[in-house]
Amino acid sequence: MVSTIQNTDVKQKDADRAVVVAVTSRAVFESGADGDDVYGMGVAFPLLQALQRVNKRLLEENPAESLLFDVVLITTDSQQQQQSCRIISSTRHYGLEVSRFCFSSEEDFVESLQKNNVQLFLSTDSNEAPQASQKGVLSALLDRQEAPSEQLRVMFCGDAVNRPDAGPMPASRQAAQNFSAQLGEMRQRFGMSDSPLRIVLVTSHGGRESCGALRTLRSHGVNVDEAYCLAGAPRSPILSVVRPHFLLSDGFSGLED
């Protein structure tokens, strides 16, 4: 069963233009003592602040802007579902701009993503991401290292960008292309410096791969701020420097070495 509660404290986004991002509540909040009125801040807390920062800057540039991030909080944890009021009050306490709260069972969470027209699903659970991806919902694992709250940092995997279109999950790949185009359009709203959105490309092998990935992203309207060619080296040193909130790949992705 899926239940969705609209947050009346937040102005709802344009359903036709907004970029709907769903984040699991257990990634945003850490369970505290039973007597606490609010949850502690989780690993995804800076991500939500970064999304809000992008929205704020977009509206400063154009008060009529409709291409904004629309955040949905997904709760599948039975204990947290019993404390739904606590989740809502925690969101209000921290001033997080969450449009909707969605409560579902672990079996039905993908249905909840589809019903809310989610374009990107983010979780710390390595089982949830592939489940959503197999149903055509672009998904990624959140990195557990500390990421900045003042700037949204998105990393693209060049290996996936260069993959032929005839992949095993065409629906998910199409979702990735659509999201990338929207992200690229957002990035174009800002200048080269002091942007609240930073797009990074990392490729594992040679320069030809990097050039191909750059061309593919540009064909989708995405201009990257930085590009790294690892030439077979592990990703972890670059990840520790860039500190992306998540890495986008085809289907689902993680921030492994």
Side-chain angles (χ1 to χ4, degrees):
M1 182 176 178
V2 177
S3 172
T4 302
I5 300 174
Q6 190 175 88
N7 187 359
T8 56
D9 293 339
V10 173
K11 182 179 179 181
Q12 298 299 303
K13 308 298 188 296
D14 186 331
D16 294 327
R17 285 281 288 162
V19 181
V20 184
V21 178
V23 188
T24 56
S25 60
R26 62 174 170 269
V28 177
F29 298 123
E30 291 184 348
S31 298
D34 291 339
D36 294 344
D37 293 331
V38 299
Y39 286 111
M41 295 180 286
V43 67
F45 198 90
L47 166 71
L48 264 64
Q49 291 180 311
L51 293 172
Q52 285 182 214
R53 175 67 173 164
V54 174
N55 282 353
K56 180 181 178 182
R57 288 285 304 278
L58 285 168
L59 290 171
E60 287 175 353
E61 295 287 331
N62 177 14
E65 180 64 73
S66 57
L67 182 64
L68 302 167
F69 286 115
D70 191 14
V71 179
V72 178
L73 215 57
I74 301 288
T75 302
T76 58
D77 184 274
S78 58
Q79 183 177 358
Q80 284 193 337
Q81 286 193 20
Q82 294 171 7
Q83 299 177 333
S84 58
C85 291
R86 191 175 176 189
I87 291 177
I88 296 172
S89 63
S90 297
T91 303
R92 184 179 297 116
H93 172 80
Y94 291 116
L96 297 177
E97 195 174 273
V98 174
S99 295
R100 295 181 297 286
F101 303 92
C102 186
F103 302 92
S104 73
S105 66
E106 292 183 358
E107 294 76 17
D108 297 331
F109 89 93
V110 176
E111 179 187 346
S112 71
L113 299 177
Q114 294 169 332
K115 284 187 173 181
N116 283 279
N117 298 316
V118 170
Q119 289 147 283
L120 174 66
F121 170 61
L122 298 169
S123 173
T124 53
D125 190 318
S126 59
N127 293 319
E128 289 180 338
Q131 288 180 48
S133 181
Q134 288 167 5
K135 297 294 185 178
V137 180
L138 177 64
S139 307
L141 288 175
L142 285 161
D143 189 20
R144 291 186 177 275
Q145 70 178 346
E146 185 178 353
S149 59
E150 72 279 359
Q151 184 182 57
L152 178 64
R153 297 183 180 181
V154 181
M155 180 175 281
F156 282 88
C157 174
D159 309 77
V161 172
N162 281 329
R163 199 171 297 158
D165 289 338
M169 292 179 287
S172 182
R173 187 162 182 81
Q174 183 60 52
Q177 292 180 0
N178 292 340
F179 177 80
S180 300
Q182 291 174 305
L183 197 70
E185 187 177 348
M186 281 185 174
R187 181 63 186 87
Q188 291 174 14
R189 300 286 200 272
F190 307 108
M192 293 299 295
S193 62
D194 192 33
S195 171
L197 173 58
R198 182 177 171 191
I199 299 176
V200 180
L201 171 68
V202 59
T203 52
S204 299
H205 303 295
R208 180 178 297 179
E209 178 192 47
S210 298
C211 292
L214 282 169
R215 283 196 298 269
T216 300
L217 287 175
R218 286 171 181 166
S219 71
H220 298 149
V222 181
N223 291 316
V224 305
D225 295 285
E226 301 173 35
Y228 298 92
C229 178
L230 301 182
R235 282 190 199 141
S236 52
I238 291 297
L239 295 175
S240 65
V241 173
V242 177
R243 294 187 298 154
H245 292 91
F246 54 90
L247 182 149
L248 283 177
S249 185
D250 184 22
F252 70 95
S253 63
L255 289 165
E256 71 281 354
D257 292 343

